Short mmCIF file of all heavy atoms in Angstrom, two decimals:
data_model
loop_
_atom_site.label_atom_id
_atom_site.label_comp_id
_atom_site.label_asym_id
_atom_site.label_seq_id
_atom_site.Cartn_x
_atom_site.Cartn_y
_atom_site.Cartn_z
N GLN A 235 4.22 8.88 -0.30
CA GLN A 235 4.73 8.20 -1.50
C GLN A 235 3.96 8.64 -2.74
O GLN A 235 4.54 8.79 -3.81
CB GLN A 235 4.63 6.68 -1.33
CG GLN A 235 5.60 6.12 -0.32
CD GLN A 235 5.33 4.67 0.01
OE1 GLN A 235 4.18 4.27 0.22
NE2 GLN A 235 6.39 3.87 0.04
N ILE A 236 2.66 8.82 -2.58
CA ILE A 236 1.84 9.27 -3.71
C ILE A 236 2.27 10.65 -4.18
O ILE A 236 2.50 10.87 -5.37
CB ILE A 236 0.34 9.26 -3.31
CG1 ILE A 236 -0.15 7.81 -3.16
CG2 ILE A 236 -0.51 10.02 -4.33
CD1 ILE A 236 -1.50 7.68 -2.49
N ILE A 237 2.39 11.59 -3.26
CA ILE A 237 2.73 12.96 -3.68
C ILE A 237 4.18 13.05 -4.16
O ILE A 237 4.50 13.91 -4.97
CB ILE A 237 2.42 14.02 -2.60
CG1 ILE A 237 3.22 13.78 -1.33
CG2 ILE A 237 0.93 14.07 -2.33
CD1 ILE A 237 3.07 14.88 -0.29
N ASN A 238 5.04 12.16 -3.68
CA ASN A 238 6.44 12.17 -4.13
C ASN A 238 6.62 11.65 -5.54
O ASN A 238 7.70 11.77 -6.12
CB ASN A 238 7.32 11.40 -3.16
CG ASN A 238 7.57 12.18 -1.88
OD1 ASN A 238 7.46 13.40 -1.84
ND2 ASN A 238 7.89 11.46 -0.81
N LYS A 239 5.56 11.08 -6.12
CA LYS A 239 5.64 10.66 -7.52
C LYS A 239 5.58 11.86 -8.48
O LYS A 239 5.97 11.74 -9.64
CB LYS A 239 4.50 9.70 -7.86
CG LYS A 239 4.65 8.32 -7.28
CD LYS A 239 3.52 7.43 -7.79
CE LYS A 239 3.61 6.02 -7.32
NZ LYS A 239 2.57 5.18 -7.93
N THR A 240 5.09 12.99 -8.00
CA THR A 240 5.04 14.19 -8.83
C THR A 240 6.39 14.90 -8.70
O THR A 240 6.78 15.31 -7.61
CB THR A 240 3.89 15.12 -8.41
OG1 THR A 240 2.66 14.40 -8.53
CG2 THR A 240 3.83 16.35 -9.30
N ILE A 241 7.08 14.98 -9.83
CA ILE A 241 8.43 15.54 -9.84
C ILE A 241 8.52 16.65 -10.87
O ILE A 241 7.67 16.78 -11.74
CB ILE A 241 9.49 14.45 -10.13
CG1 ILE A 241 9.25 13.81 -11.50
CG2 ILE A 241 9.49 13.40 -9.01
CD1 ILE A 241 10.34 12.82 -11.93
N THR A 242 9.58 17.43 -10.76
CA THR A 242 9.85 18.47 -11.76
C THR A 242 10.73 17.89 -12.86
O THR A 242 11.32 16.80 -12.70
CB THR A 242 10.59 19.67 -11.12
OG1 THR A 242 11.89 19.21 -10.69
CG2 THR A 242 9.81 20.25 -9.94
N LEU A 243 10.87 18.63 -13.93
CA LEU A 243 11.74 18.19 -15.01
C LEU A 243 13.19 18.11 -14.53
O LEU A 243 13.91 17.17 -14.89
CB LEU A 243 11.61 19.12 -16.22
CG LEU A 243 12.44 18.75 -17.44
CD1 LEU A 243 12.19 17.31 -17.89
CD2 LEU A 243 12.15 19.71 -18.58
N ASP A 244 13.62 19.05 -13.70
CA ASP A 244 14.99 19.00 -13.16
C ASP A 244 15.20 17.74 -12.33
O ASP A 244 16.24 17.09 -12.42
CB ASP A 244 15.30 20.24 -12.33
CG ASP A 244 15.55 21.47 -13.19
OD1 ASP A 244 15.87 21.31 -14.39
OD2 ASP A 244 15.41 22.58 -12.66
N GLU A 245 14.21 17.38 -11.52
CA GLU A 245 14.31 16.14 -10.74
C GLU A 245 14.36 14.93 -11.66
O GLU A 245 15.13 13.99 -11.42
CB GLU A 245 13.13 16.02 -9.77
CG GLU A 245 13.19 17.02 -8.62
CD GLU A 245 11.92 17.02 -7.79
OE1 GLU A 245 10.81 17.06 -8.38
OE2 GLU A 245 12.04 16.98 -6.56
N ALA A 246 13.58 14.97 -12.72
CA ALA A 246 13.59 13.86 -13.69
C ALA A 246 14.96 13.71 -14.33
O ALA A 246 15.45 12.59 -14.50
CB ALA A 246 12.52 14.09 -14.75
N ARG A 247 15.57 14.82 -14.67
CA ARG A 247 16.91 14.76 -15.29
C ARG A 247 17.91 14.10 -14.36
O ARG A 247 18.79 13.36 -14.79
CB ARG A 247 17.37 16.16 -15.68
CG ARG A 247 16.65 16.70 -16.89
CD ARG A 247 17.21 18.07 -17.28
NE ARG A 247 16.59 18.56 -18.49
CZ ARG A 247 15.92 19.71 -18.58
NH1 ARG A 247 15.78 20.48 -17.52
NH2 ARG A 247 15.39 20.07 -19.73
N ARG A 248 17.80 14.38 -13.06
CA ARG A 248 18.71 13.77 -12.09
C ARG A 248 18.39 12.28 -11.90
O ARG A 248 19.30 11.44 -11.85
CB ARG A 248 18.65 14.50 -10.75
CG ARG A 248 19.39 15.83 -10.74
CD ARG A 248 19.55 16.39 -9.35
NE ARG A 248 18.30 16.74 -8.69
CZ ARG A 248 17.61 17.87 -8.91
NH1 ARG A 248 18.06 18.76 -9.77
NH2 ARG A 248 16.49 18.11 -8.25
N LEU A 249 17.12 11.96 -11.79
CA LEU A 249 16.71 10.56 -11.58
C LEU A 249 17.04 9.68 -12.78
O LEU A 249 17.54 8.57 -12.62
CB LEU A 249 15.19 10.49 -11.35
CG LEU A 249 14.66 10.80 -9.98
CD1 LEU A 249 13.14 10.92 -10.02
CD2 LEU A 249 15.06 9.72 -9.00
N PHE A 250 16.71 10.18 -13.96
CA PHE A 250 16.85 9.38 -15.17
C PHE A 250 18.21 9.63 -15.81
O PHE A 250 18.32 9.99 -16.98
CB PHE A 250 15.71 9.68 -16.14
CG PHE A 250 14.34 9.62 -15.52
CD1 PHE A 250 13.37 10.52 -15.88
CD2 PHE A 250 14.02 8.67 -14.56
CE1 PHE A 250 12.10 10.48 -15.32
CE2 PHE A 250 12.76 8.62 -13.98
CZ PHE A 250 11.79 9.51 -14.36
N ASN A 251 19.25 9.41 -15.04
CA ASN A 251 20.62 9.63 -15.52
C ASN A 251 21.00 8.53 -16.51
O ASN A 251 20.26 7.55 -16.67
CB ASN A 251 21.58 9.70 -14.33
CG ASN A 251 21.58 8.42 -13.51
OD1 ASN A 251 21.67 7.32 -14.05
ND2 ASN A 251 21.45 8.56 -12.21
N PRO A 252 22.15 8.68 -17.17
CA PRO A 252 22.54 7.69 -18.19
C PRO A 252 22.56 6.24 -17.69
O PRO A 252 22.13 5.33 -18.40
CB PRO A 252 23.92 8.15 -18.63
CG PRO A 252 23.89 9.64 -18.42
CD PRO A 252 23.08 9.82 -17.16
N GLN A 253 23.04 6.02 -16.47
CA GLN A 253 23.07 4.65 -15.94
C GLN A 253 21.66 4.10 -15.76
O GLN A 253 21.36 2.97 -16.13
CB GLN A 253 23.83 4.60 -14.60
CG GLN A 253 24.00 3.20 -14.06
CD GLN A 253 24.79 2.30 -15.00
OE1 GLN A 253 25.76 2.72 -15.62
NE2 GLN A 253 24.35 1.04 -15.13
N PHE A 254 20.77 4.92 -15.22
CA PHE A 254 19.37 4.53 -15.04
C PHE A 254 18.76 4.18 -16.40
O PHE A 254 18.06 3.18 -16.54
CB PHE A 254 18.59 5.66 -14.37
CG PHE A 254 17.14 5.35 -14.14
CD1 PHE A 254 16.73 4.76 -12.96
CD2 PHE A 254 16.19 5.64 -15.11
CE1 PHE A 254 15.38 4.46 -12.75
CE2 PHE A 254 14.85 5.35 -14.92
CZ PHE A 254 14.45 4.76 -13.73
N ARG A 255 19.03 5.01 -17.40
CA ARG A 255 18.45 4.81 -18.73
C ARG A 255 18.97 3.54 -19.39
O ARG A 255 18.26 2.90 -20.15
CB ARG A 255 18.72 6.03 -19.62
CG ARG A 255 18.06 7.32 -19.15
CD ARG A 255 16.54 7.16 -18.97
NE ARG A 255 15.87 6.82 -20.18
CZ ARG A 255 15.41 7.69 -21.06
NH1 ARG A 255 15.50 8.98 -20.84
NH2 ARG A 255 14.82 7.28 -22.16
N LYS A 256 20.21 3.16 -19.12
CA LYS A 256 20.75 1.91 -19.67
C LYS A 256 20.00 0.70 -19.13
O LYS A 256 19.87 -0.31 -19.81
CB LYS A 256 22.23 1.77 -19.31
CG LYS A 256 23.16 2.58 -20.15
CD LYS A 256 24.59 2.29 -19.72
CE LYS A 256 25.53 3.30 -20.34
NZ LYS A 256 26.91 3.15 -19.86
N GLU A 257 19.54 0.81 -17.89
CA GLU A 257 18.94 -0.32 -17.20
C GLU A 257 17.42 -0.35 -17.25
O GLU A 257 16.81 -1.34 -16.82
CB GLU A 257 19.40 -0.32 -15.73
CG GLU A 257 20.90 -0.46 -15.58
CD GLU A 257 21.38 -0.20 -14.17
OE1 GLU A 257 20.56 0.08 -13.27
OE2 GLU A 257 22.61 -0.27 -13.97
N ASN A 258 16.77 0.73 -17.71
CA ASN A 258 15.32 0.84 -17.65
C ASN A 258 14.75 1.39 -18.95
O ASN A 258 15.31 2.29 -19.54
CB ASN A 258 14.90 1.77 -16.51
CG ASN A 258 15.29 1.23 -15.15
OD1 ASN A 258 14.61 0.38 -14.61
ND2 ASN A 258 16.40 1.71 -14.62
N THR A 259 13.62 0.84 -19.34
CA THR A 259 12.89 1.33 -20.51
C THR A 259 11.80 2.28 -20.03
O THR A 259 10.90 1.88 -19.28
CB THR A 259 12.25 0.15 -21.27
OG1 THR A 259 13.27 -0.73 -21.69
CG2 THR A 259 11.46 0.65 -22.49
N MET A 260 11.91 3.55 -20.46
CA MET A 260 10.95 4.57 -20.05
C MET A 260 9.81 4.67 -21.05
O MET A 260 10.02 4.85 -22.25
CB MET A 260 11.60 5.94 -19.95
CG MET A 260 10.62 7.04 -19.55
SD MET A 260 11.27 8.72 -19.78
CE MET A 260 12.59 8.73 -18.60
N VAL A 261 8.59 4.54 -20.53
CA VAL A 261 7.37 4.75 -21.30
C VAL A 261 6.82 6.11 -20.89
O VAL A 261 6.75 6.42 -19.70
CB VAL A 261 6.32 3.64 -21.04
CG1 VAL A 261 5.06 3.90 -21.83
CG2 VAL A 261 6.91 2.28 -21.35
N PHE A 262 6.42 6.91 -21.87
CA PHE A 262 5.86 8.23 -21.60
C PHE A 262 4.49 8.35 -22.25
O PHE A 262 4.30 7.92 -23.39
CB PHE A 262 6.76 9.34 -22.16
CG PHE A 262 6.21 10.72 -21.96
CD1 PHE A 262 6.47 11.44 -20.80
CD2 PHE A 262 5.43 11.31 -22.94
CE1 PHE A 262 5.93 12.71 -20.61
CE2 PHE A 262 4.89 12.59 -22.76
CZ PHE A 262 5.15 13.28 -21.60
N THR A 263 3.57 8.92 -21.51
CA THR A 263 2.29 9.33 -22.07
C THR A 263 1.91 10.65 -21.43
O THR A 263 2.55 11.10 -20.49
CB THR A 263 1.20 8.26 -21.88
OG1 THR A 263 0.07 8.60 -22.70
CG2 THR A 263 0.76 8.15 -20.42
N ASN A 264 0.86 11.25 -21.95
CA ASN A 264 0.44 12.53 -21.39
C ASN A 264 -1.07 12.69 -21.52
O ASN A 264 -1.72 11.98 -22.29
CB ASN A 264 1.13 13.69 -22.11
CG ASN A 264 0.69 13.82 -23.54
OD1 ASN A 264 1.13 13.06 -24.40
ND2 ASN A 264 -0.21 14.76 -23.80
N GLY A 265 -1.59 13.64 -20.78
CA GLY A 265 -3.00 13.94 -20.87
C GLY A 265 -3.46 14.85 -19.75
O GLY A 265 -2.68 15.24 -18.88
N CYS A 266 -4.76 15.15 -19.79
CA CYS A 266 -5.38 16.00 -18.77
C CYS A 266 -5.80 15.18 -17.55
O CYS A 266 -5.71 15.65 -16.43
CB CYS A 266 -6.60 16.71 -19.36
SG CYS A 266 -6.22 17.77 -20.76
N PHE A 267 -6.31 13.98 -17.78
CA PHE A 267 -6.75 13.07 -16.72
C PHE A 267 -7.60 13.82 -15.70
O PHE A 267 -7.39 13.75 -14.49
CB PHE A 267 -5.55 12.38 -16.06
CG PHE A 267 -4.75 11.57 -17.04
CD1 PHE A 267 -3.56 12.06 -17.56
CD2 PHE A 267 -5.21 10.34 -17.48
CE1 PHE A 267 -2.83 11.32 -18.49
CE2 PHE A 267 -4.49 9.60 -18.41
CZ PHE A 267 -3.30 10.10 -18.92
#
Side-chain angles (χ1 to χ4, degrees):
Q235 290 170 315
I236 290 167
I237 62 174
N238 285 337
K239 287 185 178 185
T240 301
I241 61 174
T242 66
L243 182 54
D244 285 339
E245 289 171 313
R247 287 183 176 121
R248 284 192 296 280
L249 279 170
F250 310 142
N251 60 48
Q253 185 60 40
F254 180 90
R255 296 305 299 272
K256 281 182 192 174
E257 298 169 1
N258 296 280
T259 300
M260 179 193 295
V261 179
F262 177 88
T263 193
N264 67 282
C266 300
F267 301 101

